[in-house]
Amino acid sequence: MGEISTFVGLDVHKATIAVAIAEGGLREAASFFGTIENTPEALAKLLAKLGRKHKRLSFCYEAGPCGYGVHRQLTKAGHACAVVAPALIPRRAGDRVKTDRRDALSLAQLHRAGELSAIWVPDAAHEAMRDLVRARQTAVHAVRRARQHLSGFLLRHARVYSGKKAWTRSYRVWLASLRFEHPAQQIVLQDYIASVSDAERRRDALGEQIRVLLPQWSMAPVVTALQALRGVALIVAATLVAEVGDLTRFDNPRQLMAHLGLVPSEHSSGGSIRRGAITKTGNSAARRAMTEAAWTYRLPARVGRALLDRNEGLDKPVREIAWKAQVRLCARYRRLVKAGKPSQTVVTAIARELAGFAWAIARHVQPKHAQPQIPA
């Protein structure tokens, strides 16, 4: 028999870490060890102290804003460490007392009982690319806010564009032609226009950096292959891979769909079956990227110039899966619309299936420096 683990719960904060210990194989309550500073030196001292008394240590802590530094230090030292999903931690109904001590004790006991769900932890290089992708997402939100501020200002002063679509070349020419009688309002107009331009430049610059740094990323072959799918260009593919990681770590596409929160919620009991809106669990950025890509399937199946360029150099099985996805999803979109389904419901259904096709493509592509995959 293997050695029995000692389970250690860590409640990690910016400055401190609360530590609790649950002896393996026992049903007695966990004991509170104490609170240490959240520094590599203090954590190393904790490991040395616990290692003198306990032969095998298994740590856990909640995923949060402090990142994965604690996890990497613990695993590098040879200890097991699980970063757990906060939303999936069992909690007692009616419990209204929350302290660092109680959280650490609860984590240690739940870890010993096997009741915690660990999340996937990216390596340092993958996390760096994910930070870059998320920075671009932030820039996109900044562009949207800046445009809304400008549009709100113009609407308050009854300056309405007569064209069909905003933020085109003609719309920007119209903006440049606007004049206000009061100098203060003209200054506000120019400041809002400059804010939009600055936000757009930042967004475009970050997008270009994703393109430049992509070849150095271990997941670059997967990102390139996913772009064979309609609606999945560089940014969408990079977002999906950066947020989810290796898509083939899921045993089947349904698990990936559930991870993205694209499956229907359900509340069934006895003979009653109730299904509701999608669960929206998991990663919201990846789910949003899939939903945006799904809108392109409202049009008939075809391979345009941009998609043809993205398909160039890809393996035949990848291109075949992408074309199969187009034929199926475009037809399914029209069929669901004809059945009277709301457009958002239809797009969500398409996004769910699109995630399945992305999983299928990922199985045909190996990340850089990865071990060969055994075909199923």
Side-chain angles (χ1 to χ4, degrees), residues 41-248:
E41 295 78 17
L43 192 57
K45 289 178 63 177
L46 173 69
L47 292 179
K49 190 170 184 178
L50 293 179
R52 288 194 292 268
K53 184 178 178 182
H54 307 280
K55 293 184 179 180
R56 186 176 175 185
L57 299 170
S58 180
F59 294 83
C60 74
Y61 69 96
E62 292 184 41
C66 294
Y68 306 112
V70 172
H71 175 274
R72 292 185 180 125
Q73 183 175 351
L74 293 174
T75 52
K76 187 176 181 180
H79 300 287
C81 180
V83 183
V84 301
L88 300 180
I89 296 177
R91 304 188 188 279
R92 294 178 180 176
D95 191 354
R96 295 294 183 269
V97 180
K98 184 184 186 303
T99 65
D100 295 350
R101 178 192 180 104
R102 288 171 67 98
D103 287 347
L105 290 168
S106 177
L107 284 171
Q109 292 181 143
L110 291 171
H111 190 33
R112 179 178 61 186
E115 296 292 333
L116 298 176
S117 300
I119 66 169
W120 174 76
V121 178
D123 59 30
H126 191 109
E127 186 180 16
M129 285 300 297
R130 188 170 69 179
D131 288 339
L132 180 59
V133 170
R134 288 181 176 179
R136 186 190 177 277
Q137 293 170 7
T138 302
V140 169
H141 297 326
V143 170
R144 186 180 299 118
R145 286 194 301 271
R147 288 178 174 180
Q148 288 172 345
H149 291 161
L150 176 56
S151 298
F153 170 75
L154 295 176
L155 184 59
R156 287 197 305 273
H157 296 284
R159 304 300 177 92
V160 179
Y161 179 59
S162 59
K164 294 182 179 180
K165 190 175 181 181
W167 302 110
T168 59
R169 181 186 295 274
S170 59
Y171 179 81
R172 295 174 190 273
V173 171
W174 174 77
L175 280 179
S177 68
L178 292 177
R179 296 291 182 271
F180 287 87
E181 292 183 3
H182 199 289
Q185 291 174 332
Q186 191 69 36
I187 291 173
V188 172
L189 172 65
Q190 296 305 132
D191 184 73
Y192 279 144
I193 292 175
S195 296
V196 172
S197 299
D198 291 344
E200 289 174 340
R201 280 195 294 270
R202 179 180 169 224
R203 176 201 60 191
D204 296 342
L206 289 169
E208 176 63 17
Q209 288 303 313
I210 292 174
R211 186 191 66 80
V212 170
L213 295 175
L214 179 63
Q216 304 174 25
W217 189 14
S218 63
M219 300 300 290
V222 181
V223 174
T224 302
L226 289 178
Q227 293 180 62
L229 291 166
R230 183 176 187 173
V232 184
L234 173 62
I235 299 301
V236 173
T239 300
L240 178 63
V241 176
E243 297 293 347
V244 178
D246 185 2
L247 274 61
T248 60

